[in-house]
Amino acid sequence: MWGFSLLGNEVISRIIFLAATTPRDACRVACVSPVFRSIADSDEVWRQFLPPDHRDGVVLPQISSKKSLYLHLCRNRNMKSGKKCFMIGARELAIDQRYWTWIAEPNSRFGQVPQLLCVDQFHIVGRMEMKMLSTETRYAAYLVFRFGEYRGGFDGPAESRVSIESHGHREWSTVILDPREGEPRSMREHGDGWLEIKMGEFYNENGDDGILECSLKEVVNKTRKYGLVVAGIQIRPKEMY
């Protein structure tokens, strides 16, 4: 370390730039010393890890620090392929506000999420522009949800639909959010208390196909429903797990 202290910042910066070929390398170098950290966290180093379209202000918010922008992208796309992911947050969902109450949720990026009150039926709709996603990519849509301390009425079928308005694409499937004991379970656990269930798939060819709509509604109205908590609808490339 004494030898490195004799080098100027420009030389150290060049060494780090050549050595930190991956984000993990940059993080390791940053642990060496305060001088190394200031250079390893610099825009010059982290700019090389960003995908070509990171300056697209329509798709992504403007974030000045390249390291912070990279971390943001890690939450919104598969960094290995560069394919974009998108989360239609709970505030953006079309739900009947009379039958939902907003609760604080520390495990959600949105701070507050809606919880379904006691109702006979429910209908959730999420919409987004196709241009927000990567082109020439097959996507899948997932409802991200969990249940409150008390729940009921979700052991029956619900109709899931994914459609693209101007493209004419329509895909329907039947899902069960809370299957009875011994019945097949199609949801996947996130590990943080949230569950996800696949709503459908679609192909984004050119990104100019208008509006994507994902919806979930009850097929048969038999029982009162309550306790469902929704984080949003996640749209991600089909190959991601």
Side-chain angles (χ1 to χ4, degrees):
M1 289 302 301
W2 180 84
F4 273 113
S5 65
L6 299 178
L7 301 175
N9 283 356
E10 184 176 346
V11 176
I12 295 176
S13 177
R14 186 59 182 169
I15 293 173
I16 292 175
F17 185 81
L18 294 174
T21 57
T22 68
R24 180 173 295 181
D25 291 338
C27 292
R28 287 173 175 169
V29 171
C31 295
V32 173
S33 73
V35 174
F36 275 45
R37 184 181 303 112
S38 64
I39 298 174
D41 288 347
S42 68
D43 287 349
E44 181 184 5
V45 171
W46 283 88
R47 187 178 288 111
Q48 64 181 319
F49 306 135
L50 296 173
D53 65 348
H54 72 274
R55 294 185 179 87
D56 189 346
V58 176
V59 175
L60 298 171
Q62 296 296 320
I63 300 176
S64 57
S65 166
K66 301 308 179 190
K67 182 178 180 180
S68 297
L69 179 58
Y70 176 87
L71 295 176
H72 173 87
L73 291 173
C74 284
R75 295 188 293 268
N76 290 276
R77 70 171 70 198
N78 180 345
M79 293 305 292
K80 290 184 178 180
S81 66
K83 301 294 185 180
K84 299 171 186 173
C85 302
F86 196 91
M87 183 72 165
I88 305 175
R91 290 285 183 187
E92 301 173 75
L93 298 177
I95 56 177
D96 192 331
Q97 298 289 340
R98 295 174 299 172
Y99 305 127
W100 298 79
T101 183
W102 290 87
I103 61 174
E105 181 51 66
N107 291 329
S108 171
R109 73 181 70 172
F110 301 107
Q112 284 190 322
V113 292
Q115 179 170 343
L116 186 66
L117 302 173
C118 190
V119 296
D120 289 329
Q121 57 184 345
F122 71 99
H123 191 191
I124 301 170
V125 181
R127 299 182 180 89
M128 65 168 293
E129 296 184 52
M130 293 287 287
K131 68 180 181 181
M132 304 288 280
L133 301 173
S134 298
T135 58
E136 299 180 349
T137 303
R138 176 160 290 279
Y139 278 92
Y142 300 84
L143 178 74
V144 181
F145 70 100
R146 67 171 178 80
F147 291 105
E149 184 178 358
Y150 302 100
R151 68 178 189 261
F154 294 97
D155 54 358
E159 181 186 86
S160 174
R161 187 182 71 170
V162 173
S163 62
I164 303 173
E165 292 180 358
S166 61
H167 193 268
H169 173 83
R170 299 286 188 278
E171 181 177 314
W172 287 268
S173 62
T174 300
V175 300
I176 299 178
L177 299 182
D178 191 23
R180 298 183 180 92
E181 185 176 352
E183 293 183 344
R185 297 174 63 86
S186 56
M187 72 281 293
R188 173 178 173 268
E189 296 185 10
H190 277 196
D192 58 359
W194 291 99
L195 305 170
E196 69 175 25
I197 194 164
K198 187 176 179 180
M199 302 178 69
E201 299 179 9
F202 63 94
Y203 184 73
N204 185 31
E205 184 172 4
N206 300 314
D208 57 357
D209 293 324
I211 304 298
L212 168 71
E213 180 175 291
C214 306
S215 68
L216 184 71
K217 65 178 180 179
E218 186 180 23
V219 177
V220 180
N221 179 19
K222 288 185 177 181
T223 59
R224 302 283 282 180
K225 291 153 188 63
Y226 54 91
L228 178 68
V229 182
V230 178
I233 297 175
Q234 186 178 63
I235 313 296
R236 65 175 188 259
K238 185 182 176 183
E239 66 270 15
M240 287 184 64
Y241 295 94

